[in-house]
Amino acid sequence: MRLYDGGRAPNPRRVRIFLAEKGMQVPVEHIDLASLQHKSAEFTALNPLQRVPVLVLDDGTVITESIAICRYFEGLRPEPLLFGRGATEEALVEMWNRRVELNLYQAVSAVFRHLHPAMKDMESQVPEWGEACRKHALARMSWLDGELARRPYVAGDRFTIADITALVGIDWGRVTKTRIPPECTNLLRWHELVSGRPSARA
């Protein structure tokens, strides 16, 4: 088994946090995104979409997409359950992970892709879209702040994959100065709580 990681990029970090929560270690090969190693013929043979992370199993099976990789590791080591326990909780965790991913995580990522100078040679940047996504991301932070007034974690009473997705998305926003608004006191409280977990340093 080998995990192809992309350093500071948010999707690989999701997997690293997940593995840290599970107490699991796997062999890692670092892919240097800055030098466009993810566009090499060797890596493209693993993932034609040229994205990290990629997990290659011992039998040659290739798993891409960070959440799919996390699902695989959840199957190998169920505890602590990060995708929920039982039909209701599993559905709620899935719902909140998707909500955060589609409404916040992707918006923050779009700000980076369309506004950050480091991406000018990798993306067809549309600065107006980047600014629109920044406004969307900030609005969704306010929305999430309201939700977190009712519970300690994104999907309920305990830490799950939904918290990992939200943490990585919000932390990635710092790169483009898309930060939690100071009036979002519930979101700031949550962020301090989850950032204090040892896995957050992964």
Side-chain angles (χ1 to χ4, degrees):
M1 182 188 303
R2 184 169 297 275
L3 178 66
Y4 292 80
D5 185 276
R8 295 177 59 199
N11 279 318
R13 186 180 176 217
R14 277 206 278 189
V15 174
R16 291 197 306 272
I17 293 174
F18 193 90
L19 286 170
E21 287 286 334
K22 293 287 186 179
M24 299 176 70
Q25 293 184 339
V26 300
V28 172
E29 181 165 334
H30 179 71
I31 299 298
D32 186 1
L33 302 180
S35 67
L36 304 183
Q37 189 180 359
H38 58 297
K39 294 184 179 294
S40 68
E42 181 181 6
F43 187 79
T44 301
L46 292 176
N47 185 6
L49 293 177
Q50 301 177 330
R51 296 287 187 265
V52 286
V54 172
L55 179 66
V56 180
L57 306 185
D58 292 339
D59 66 0
T61 299
V62 176
I63 303 173
T64 67
E65 306 303 330
S66 56
I67 296 301
I69 292 170
C70 291
R71 286 274 189 188
Y72 176 78
F73 288 126
E74 179 100 336
L76 290 184
R77 185 172 294 180
E79 298 293 340
L81 282 168
L82 296 174
F83 282 93
R85 186 186 304 277
T88 300
E89 189 180 40
E90 287 176 9
L92 288 172
V93 171
E94 179 72 17
M95 178 185 80
W96 279 105
N97 188 61
R98 290 291 287 165
R99 280 181 161 185
V100 170
E101 188 171 49
L102 293 174
N103 290 284
L104 176 57
Y105 186 95
Q106 288 186 0
V108 169
S109 295
V111 176
F112 177 76
R113 286 197 298 270
H114 288 278
L115 293 178
H116 200 280
M119 297 301 290
K120 63 183 177 64
D121 295 327
M122 297 187 197
E123 300 279 350
S124 298
Q125 291 186 316
V126 181
E128 296 82 3
W129 179 241
E131 291 296 348
C133 288
R134 190 198 306 276
K135 292 179 182 178
H136 182 80
L138 292 171
R140 289 301 179 257
M141 288 182 191
S142 295
W143 158 74
L144 190 55
D145 177 72
E147 294 292 338
L148 286 166
R150 295 190 277 273
R151 54 189 179 274
Y153 295 100
V154 172
D157 293 332
R158 62 189 184 88
F159 185 87
T160 67
I161 186 65
D163 296 285
I164 295 175
T165 297
L167 174 65
V168 171
I170 287 171
D171 284 353
W172 190 239
R174 295 173 181 171
V175 179
T176 56
K177 300 180 180 178
T178 309
R179 296 185 173 94
I180 300 173
E183 64 270 19
C184 292
T185 55
N186 299 305
L187 187 57
L188 287 166
R189 181 268 309 160
W190 165 88
H191 186 262
E192 182 178 6
L193 176 66
V194 296
S195 295
R197 300 176 74 89
S199 64
R201 297 189 291 272

